Amino acid sequence: MTGWNAAVGRIANPSTRRGGHIRTVASADVDSLDPARTYYVWSWLLQRTMHRTLMAFGTDPAAPGVVPDLAEAPGAVSRSGLTWTYRIRSGARFETGEEITAYDIKYAMERVFAQDTLPGGPTYLLDLLDHGGYRGPYRDGADGLKAVECPDERTLVLRLRRPFADFDHLMAQPNTAPVPRLRDNREAYGSAPVCSGPYRIRSYEPGRSLHLVRNPRWDPASDPVRSALPTELTVAFGIEVNELDDRLLAGEFHLDVEGRGIQHAGRDRILADPRLRGRADNPATGFLQYITVQQAVPPFGDVHARRAVFHAADKAALLEARGGAGVGGALATSLIPPTLPAHTGSDRYPSGADLSGDLDAARAELAAAGLPGGFRTAIGTQPGKFELVARTLAASLARVGIEAEVKVLDTASYYRSGLGSPATVRELGLGLGVTDWGADYPTEYGFLAPLVDGRQIKHGGGNFNFAELDDPQVNTLIDEAASEPDGQRRRVLWQRVEQAVTDHAVILPMAHDRTLHYRHPDLTNVYVHPAFGLYDIQALGLVGDRADAPGRGDMGEGDA
């Protein structure tokens, strides 16, 4: 099946043909190939081709749940909710031929604690595991993480500080991908990580290209998730976004693996051409497009200065800059997206019937902040739609005397050492930032906690609590909601979290995202993964003379 949205909630062009070379493109490099350090959603999907994890997001295009991967079954949880036990399946091997054991997964988890050496990835384990102040294998030694035990090479036991119902979801994150201890070279590991999935790295030139070929040690009988249809997959990095769209629509690449979405000029071409439109998908991604307000940058330590920005923002213009209502998404007035049960759609800062802003309310907040004439600040952003949004925001704020300089930062390092670095935010005076966020996994905790839980602030880089919000009430409510077994009470608790955060005025919601994706007609097995809002790269194949007949190739193809 092909056509508009044919890959949303279903598989477009299903096939089991193997072979061929899938060529993909991205405007910037991955944030990291080290599974402990990656946090970009498209990097996570790309890593599904290279690394297996304890659990994994499934392959049902209509359901975002997790399934066992290296584990034989979901975690067995104790009655107290504090102990989770996993059995590791046999037959899985690294590309080096070594069998994967529970010790390799434990060591991967220990690396997450080495934040001084390996910053960047999700850090839920630091807060959840009962680790007693463990600081990683490089400072406190291997096997020092007492909260994770291996009674034998097939068993993994994890002990938590408090009950956490979503724990299986955390075990599907890349940082549970096994790492052989003797091959860990710390910061350099991301240049050539040891792969456990169906593909291994033939070559990686940072900022330029990545070339993946089949891993001859991968056993499909041990892997319930990955189909590994193509012989090889390449990614070309560093293509300017509008040029990327032109080359994608011309057929030079099969897919924009980054999934940023087609830019405005390409969007207009697709919507005007029935042939191109039939190869496009426009899913609701679960992402929130928003403006972050940094409390550490003056004058935004004052809530009234932050609220002045909220009231002055022209939400209609911001939505149009993002891509327009419909194809670009729907106006967001609350934080939690419509894809989650706690969504409310309430509007704490209404902006008038035409959505252009409430300038009188903005001026009143400026006066309350002692800044009736306005102030100066800077907006951090990156090229493409983000930059257009930043310039639109600057024009909105200028109406009430807020002068905002737009600073365009590098895309590849935007969340690692740009907006995601508290030191950079202070150095550049980035009082505002244009960003987006999709849930680490599709629950309220996976969506909201990394943005507003003060215990998840990362001072060394890779920080996503950009505003550095550390409010005891918010943190306590998060813990209550995360451990609440009753769905209705949990929903209400998350709504209370959202209300408390909204009162602080640190996240200005802009749009509940829809992204326009384009797929090459030669691609098979295409679907938008419901947990990520992007195409599931590991599932893709090729048709016709661009792929081998079913069953022909062996797992060593492309390695000669």
Side-chain angles (χ1 to χ4, degrees):
M1 178 182 293
T2 59
W4 173 258
N5 275 343
V8 178
R10 52 189 173 171
I11 296 174
N13 208 8
S15 173
T16 57
R17 284 183 178 269
R18 295 178 64 243
H21 176 185
I22 291 181
R23 294 173 171 83
T24 71
V25 64
S27 71
D29 203 344
V30 295
D31 55 345
S32 180
L33 289 178
D34 186 332
R37 304 187 68 180
T38 181
Y39 217 147
Y40 289 4
V41 62
W42 68 276
S43 295
W44 283 22
L45 282 167
L46 184 61
Q47 293 221 2
R48 278 162 68 86
T49 68
M50 295 178 280
H51 302 294
R52 298 184 62 180
T53 45
L54 192 59
M55 299 288 287
F57 286 93
T59 57
D60 183 341
V66 293
V67 299
D69 187 355
L70 287 171
E72 292 181 343
V77 60
S78 65
R79 180 170 297 183
S80 67
L82 297 177
T83 302
W84 289 69
T85 302
Y86 295 87
R87 286 287 295 171
I88 310 304
R89 69 174 75 238
S90 60
R93 295 183 179 275
F94 290 109
E95 62 175 292
T96 55
E98 301 158 293
E99 186 167 5
I100 296 167
T101 70
Y103 303 110
D104 300 309
I105 300 172
K106 177 183 178 181
Y107 185 70
M109 294 179 181
E110 289 176 339
R111 295 178 81 244
V112 176
F113 287 79
Q115 285 297 300
D116 55 341
T117 305
L118 306 175
T123 56
Y124 296 102
L125 296 180
L126 276 67
D127 178 50
L128 287 172
L129 292 182
D130 188 14
H131 59 82
Y134 180 67
R135 297 171 298 175
Y138 315 132
R139 297 181 66 179
D140 291 345
D143 296 324
L145 182 55
K146 304 304 182 184
V148 182
E149 299 177 357
C150 299
D152 57 64
E153 66 179 16
R154 305 252 74 85
T155 306
L156 196 67
V157 180
L158 301 101
R159 307 190 191 284
L160 278 58
R161 292 176 175 173
R162 60 182 182 275
F164 188 75
D166 290 346
F167 199 70
D168 271 339
H169 287 83
L170 298 187
M171 297 298 98
Q173 294 184 336
N175 56 26
T176 70
V179 175
R181 179 184 303 168
L182 295 180
R183 298 180 184 274
D184 178 19
N185 51 356
R186 304 190 183 192
E187 298 97 329
Y189 188 73
S191 63
V194 181
C195 296
S196 52
Y199 297 92
R200 62 178 179 83
I201 299 171
R202 168 172 279 181
S203 65
Y204 172 49
E205 296 182 62
R208 296 190 62 185
S209 65
L210 173 67
H211 187 179
L212 303 180
V213 294
R214 284 179 173 160
N215 172 11
R217 300 293 188 172
W218 175 74
D219 180 4
S222 77
D223 193 332
V225 176
R226 299 158 187 83
S227 53
L229 296 178
T231 300
E232 55 188 325
L233 184 148
T234 52
V235 188
F237 300 123
I239 310 298
E240 189 275 329
V241 289
N242 287 292
E243 178 188 349
L244 185 157
D245 287 352
D246 289 341
R247 294 168 69 177
L248 180 67
L249 297 181
E252 183 177 344
F253 300 105
H254 293 106
L255 199 73
D256 170 9
V257 72
E258 193 179 10
R260 291 169 62 94
I262 299 293
Q263 304 297 308
H264 287 53
R267 173 200 65 183
D268 294 342
R269 286 178 58 192
I270 289 172
L271 296 181
D273 185 336
R275 178 181 60 89
L276 295 177
R277 194 175 188 277
R279 302 170 184 168
D281 299 291
N282 187 214
T285 65
F287 272 66
L288 176 70
Q289 307 288 331
Y290 70 96
I291 307 300
T292 173
V293 189
Q294 279 60 261
Q295 300 177 103
V297 177
F300 291 124
D302 188 317
V303 68
H304 295 292
R306 302 196 298 271
R307 289 174 178 169
V309 169
F310 276 47
H311 286 299
D314 185 335
K315 294 179 181 177
L318 290 172
L319 182 59
E320 181 57 33
R322 169 58 204 163
V327 172
L331 178 72
T333 56
S334 56
L335 308 183
I336 298 173
T339 53
L340 295 174
H343 171 73
T344 63
S346 60
D347 192 354
R348 169 72 170 75
Y349 302 97
S351 53
D354 62 357
L355 304 177
S356 65
D358 186 338
L359 303 188
D360 289 338
R363 293 186 181 103
E365 293 290 354
L366 286 172
L371 299 164
F375 56 86
R376 292 182 178 180
T377 190
I379 307 174
T381 190
Q382 54 180 302
K385 295 176 185 175
F386 277 34
E387 181 179 350
L388 184 57
V389 167
R391 298 196 183 283
T392 302
L393 176 63
S396 296
L397 301 182
R399 299 177 299 172
V400 294
I402 301 174
E403 299 179 31
E405 177 188 359
V406 175
K407 295 187 177 182
V408 182
L409 309 180
D410 175 64
T411 299
S413 60
Y414 190 60
Y415 295 113
R416 184 172 63 249
S417 57
L419 189 63
S421 166
T424 301
V425 165
R426 288 164 172 76
E427 178 185 350
L428 298 181
L430 303 180
L432 304 169
V434 182
T435 186
D436 60 2
W437 176 257
D440 283 352
Y441 54 89
T443 71
E444 285 84 357
Y445 186 95
F447 178 82
L448 201 51
L451 305 182
V452 301
D453 187 333
R455 296 157 296 188
Q456 295 197 36
I457 297 171
K458 301 174 187 175
H459 296 286
N463 177 48
F464 284 88
N465 184 339
F466 303 117
E468 298 178 58
L469 179 66
D470 190 7
D471 179 80
Q473 178 193 10
V474 171
N475 296 346
T476 298
L477 284 169
I478 287 172
D479 289 348
E480 291 178 12
S483 60
E484 173 56 60
D486 180 78
Q488 176 63 20
R489 287 198 290 268
R490 186 167 60 247
R491 180 178 66 84
V492 171
L493 284 167
W494 282 116
Q495 289 170 348
R496 289 177 61 192
V497 173
E498 179 183 67
Q499 180 180 357
V501 172
T502 301
D503 285 345
H504 282 287
V506 293
I507 297 176
L508 172 60
M510 183 171 58
H512 292 303
D513 185 59
R514 285 185 178 271
T515 302
L516 184 61
H517 299 305
Y518 179 82
R519 46 185 152 79
H520 193 286
D522 286 347
L523 285 176
T524 65
N525 250 36
V526 191
Y527 65 89
V528 175
H529 198 291
F532 300 106
L534 306 180
Y535 293 125
D536 192 358
I537 304 162
Q538 66 79 28
L540 301 174
L542 290 169
V543 299
D545 59 2
R546 294 167 178 80
D548 299 329
R552 276 184 57 189
D554 61 36
M555 292 313 294
E557 288 177 56
D559 291 354

